[in-house]
Amino acid sequence: MEIIWVLMGFALLAAMTFSYVRARRGGSIRLVAPGSPDAADPANYGFDRQEDLDIRVPGPDQDLMDALDNVRRTGQWQAASQLLAGTPKEGEQRWQRVQAFGGSAALELVQQPGTGAQWLKGWRLEAEKDAGGAQVHAELLVQQAWRASGGVGSDDHRIILEEARDACRKAALLSPGDPVPYITELAVARGLAYPEAEFDELWAKVIDRAPQHMGAHLAALHYWCEKWHGSREKADAFSHAAAARAPQGSLLAALPLFALYENLPDVILTGGFYQSASVTRAVEGALYAVHTARQDDPMLAHVRHLLLLFLVNMERWAEAMEQVRHVDGYVGALPWSASEDPAAQYAIYRALAVAGYEANGGSPATLPR
């Protein structure tokens, strides 16, 4: 078995008890105790400590962080409302910010049942016609359904999703032309198992308003995957069609990599999987998308996070380190968000990237800034 699989096994079992390091001779990678002079320490590159990684967002958004902090500190909703009112409704950033506010409210309710997220309750009562508040409320219900409702298929799960569907449709009426309520409903459609014809009707409303919306395509992709209501073939067809019609500079060229990730087998028994032609094509498409996209594209970090997982498994260390260099500090994205401990999962792959990079002659001095 190739050395990467040995390392991955140790990493998952030890949960970062050890550090991944460069051996002084032979250029291989081995495990040593933390603090060893041989340790390949991510801190040498200026990367954040695991406990400082932000699990809320995929990348920096200082205006969002300021608004979230204000809402939590004051218990008032106005900062959130003002931020969303000033965020263009057709772009990716509005959807991400609505998700962040909804996620923050959901987390508060988990931590403080019955008393959390009073700011959102106040927002809905005091500004019933505020489109931003309606969208955040719909997103909160979706996240509650998926996080804490007794599991998929339970009565509570369905009841909350049905409430979320109504909330999405009310939010859509408050902001004509805004794709966000329909994108939020895509998660409802998956949970309530909309028939394909009904899902297609919903999807048409999304692409009429935002045909190149990467976040919307990611949300729709879940529906078409084998583990939900589609198949590998349908997910591949959806992702490749979107990539084929994507204009220059669009991150939709990376969508086949997300389809590949969604359809990964639970156990990969051959080390050659990550060197296969299908993986290579998807990764190259995602790298092309990253290199041609606007560097301020709000979805760019999402693609880089997923690329990190694949590039590490492909032992393409320098390219993996390039992704770490751009996303470090934030882990609120797939694949890490699928883990119970996103920061720890990301830290494992970051340590592998550092170790592999140094095993092949890299150092903090050779990593571009």
Side-chain angles (χ1 to χ4, degrees), residues 137-220:
H137 178 237
E139 178 64 32
L140 163 66
L141 291 170
V142 168
Q143 295 205 26
Q144 281 186 310
W146 289 105
R147 289 183 178 189
S149 62
V152 177
S154 69
D155 289 342
D156 285 349
H157 181 75
R158 173 168 287 276
I159 289 169
I160 296 174
L161 282 178
E162 288 173 348
E163 185 181 353
R165 177 175 57 194
D166 291 340
C168 287
R169 294 175 180 178
K170 290 176 182 177
L173 294 175
L174 293 175
S175 184
D178 191 331
V180 170
Y182 300 102
I183 298 172
T184 303
E185 191 179 345
L186 292 172
V188 176
R190 175 164 51 103
L192 293 181
Y194 283 19
E196 287 190 13
E198 187 177 354
F199 185 86
D200 287 340
E201 183 179 348
L202 173 61
W203 180 239
K205 293 176 182 177
V206 173
I207 60 174
D208 281 349
R209 292 161 175 79
Q212 304 300 328
H213 200 290
M214 179 69 171
H217 281 78
L218 291 176

Side-chain angles (χ1 to χ4, degrees), residues 23-179:
R24 293 192 178 277
R25 288 184 288 182
S28 61
I29 305 171
R30 60 187 175 86
L31 294 171
V32 298
S36 164
D38 285 340
D41 188 353
N44 293 338
Y45 294 80
F47 298 149
D48 286 2
R49 296 179 302 176
Q50 180 178 325
E51 58 267 31
D52 294 331
L53 295 170
D54 194 324
I55 66 172
R56 299 171 296 178
V57 289
D61 184 343
Q62 192 57 52
D63 289 340
L64 173 62
M65 294 298 102
D66 290 344
L68 283 169
D69 290 342
N70 181 282
V71 164
R72 277 196 303 271
R73 185 178 67 256
T74 67
Q76 301 298 312
W77 52 269
Q78 283 79 5
S81 177
Q82 290 169 5
L83 181 63
L84 290 181
T87 305
K89 61 186 180 183
E90 67 277 2
E92 307 276 357
Q93 194 171 55
R94 184 179 179 86
W95 175 67
Q96 289 196 18
R97 287 174 170 177
V98 167
Q99 282 193 308
F101 286 123
S104 180
L107 181 60
E108 285 185 40
L109 286 170
V110 169
Q111 296 172 339
Q112 308 164 48
T115 61
Q118 292 297 319
W119 57 271
L120 181 53
K121 295 177 184 177
W123 193 355
R124 298 299 294 129
L125 288 171
E126 298 166 32
E128 186 180 356
K129 301 299 183 182
D130 187 315
Q135 292 175 10
V136 172
H137 178 237
E139 178 64 32
L140 163 66
L141 291 170
V142 168
Q143 295 205 26
Q144 281 186 310
W146 289 105
R147 289 183 178 189
S149 62
V152 177
S154 69
D155 289 342
D156 285 349
H157 181 75
R158 173 168 287 276
I159 289 169
I160 296 174
L161 282 178
E162 288 173 348
E163 185 181 353
R165 177 175 57 194
D166 291 340
C168 287
R169 294 175 180 178
K170 290 176 182 177
L173 294 175
L174 293 175
S175 184
D178 191 331

Side-chain angles (χ1 to χ4, degrees), residues 291-304:
H291 293 150
T292 58
R294 296 188 342 264
Q295 293 307 295
D296 63 347
D297 190 313
M299 293 300 293
L300 185 57
H302 286 270
V303 181
R304 290 192 182 278

Side-chain angles (χ1 to χ4, degrees), residues 194-278:
Y194 283 19
E196 287 190 13
E198 187 177 354
F199 185 86
D200 287 340
E201 183 179 348
L202 173 61
W203 180 239
K205 293 176 182 177
V206 173
I207 60 174
D208 281 349
R209 292 161 175 79
Q212 304 300 328
H213 200 290
M214 179 69 171
H217 281 78
L218 291 176
L221 177 63
H222 290 302
Y223 177 91
W224 293 115
C225 286
E226 184 177 43
K227 59 188 175 184
W228 288 105
H229 310 297
S231 64
R232 292 174 184 268
E233 292 74 21
K234 287 182 177 180
D236 284 343
F238 176 79
S239 65
H240 282 91
R245 64 174 179 265
Q248 178 76 13
S250 170
L251 286 170
L252 286 175
L255 199 62
L257 185 66
F258 286 85
L260 186 64
Y261 169 76
E262 291 295 337
N263 286 309
L264 282 177
D266 291 334
V267 178
I268 297 173
L269 298 177
T270 171
F273 173 81
Y274 284 99
Q275 280 69 46
S276 66
S278 60

